[in-house]
Amino acid sequence: SMEYAQVAQASSLVTNTAEFQRRTRPLVRDNAILDVEAGRYGTAKAALERVLAVVPTDAKAHFYLGELYRKQRRTPTAVEQAVQAYQQAATHDPSYPDPQRSLGLLYYTTGKKSEARQAFERYLELKPHADDRQQVREYLMELQHNPA
């Protein structure tokens, strides 16, 4: 019917608005997180970049972009890109512990020991009851014994 066609047209206009993009951002982001975890990096990257185009301060989107670069590691710059994404996440939400943990691990594996120690300490400060706190404390003990 004619009426149905008008409703369909109107709803497609709503879909293209910035308001719609803002409202659907958590959904798009959470779907992208599942894509990162499943290894669908292309799909995830496109979605996370769409989210950040709408809300550049979305700390969780920055964090998962970091996870994507860290897991993908296709290019020599992937580690740097991951570090930048995690730093963005930490900047936009200083109380968010996950980027600190990931920064700690990346710094640790790339031999940046003082940076690793700072990130791990910050992680435990933000999340004192973390499930992996014992593991993180072991990293910290090792870093204190071999600080160079």
Side-chain angles (χ1 to χ4, degrees):
S1 77
M2 185 67 194
E3 194 183 0
Y4 179 77
Q6 282 175 325
V7 170
Q9 195 182 2
S11 74
S12 75
L13 289 173
V14 171
T15 311
N16 297 327
T17 65
E19 179 54 36
F20 177 82
Q21 289 180 313
R22 268 198 302 279
R23 279 205 314 270
T24 57
R25 169 180 63 114
L27 190 68
V28 173
R29 184 189 63 201
D30 293 346
N31 202 38
I33 290 168
L34 296 176
D35 283 332
V36 170
E37 285 164 0
R40 292 187 291 268
Y41 299 125
T43 312
K45 189 169 188 284
L48 290 168
E49 284 171 350
R50 270 207 318 278
V51 167
L52 290 168
V54 179
V55 182
T57 57
D58 188 321
K60 207 171 181 184
H62 282 291
F63 172 70
Y64 278 95
L65 201 54
E67 291 290 271
L68 185 149
Y69 286 127
R70 182 177 63 82
K71 289 179 178 190
Q72 207 177 7
R73 289 214 182 156
R74 277 222 193 111
T75 60
T77 57
V79 170
E80 287 164 45
Q81 287 173 304
V83 166
Q84 279 179 337
Y86 293 141
Q87 284 171 339
Q88 287 279 318
T91 300
H92 293 303
D93 184 357
S95 67
Y96 186 18
D98 300 17
Q100 299 298 337
R101 179 184 178 276
S102 293
L103 278 170
L105 290 169
L106 265 189
Y107 287 139
Y108 181 85
T109 55
T110 55
K112 294 183 171 172
K113 293 187 174 181
S114 69
E115 288 95 331
R117 203 166 76 224
Q118 268 183 314
F120 283 140
E121 282 169 355
R122 185 92 187 97
Y123 173 67
L124 290 178
E125 246 172 67
L126 293 169
K127 200 175 181 181
H129 304 294
D131 292 341
D132 59 354
R133 63 185 180 276
Q134 200 47 51
Q135 191 186 348
V136 172
R137 282 197 194 106
E138 280 165 25
Y139 279 122
L140 280 168
M141 276 165 60
E142 190 189 320
L143 288 163
Q144 278 153 1
H145 291 306
N146 307 296

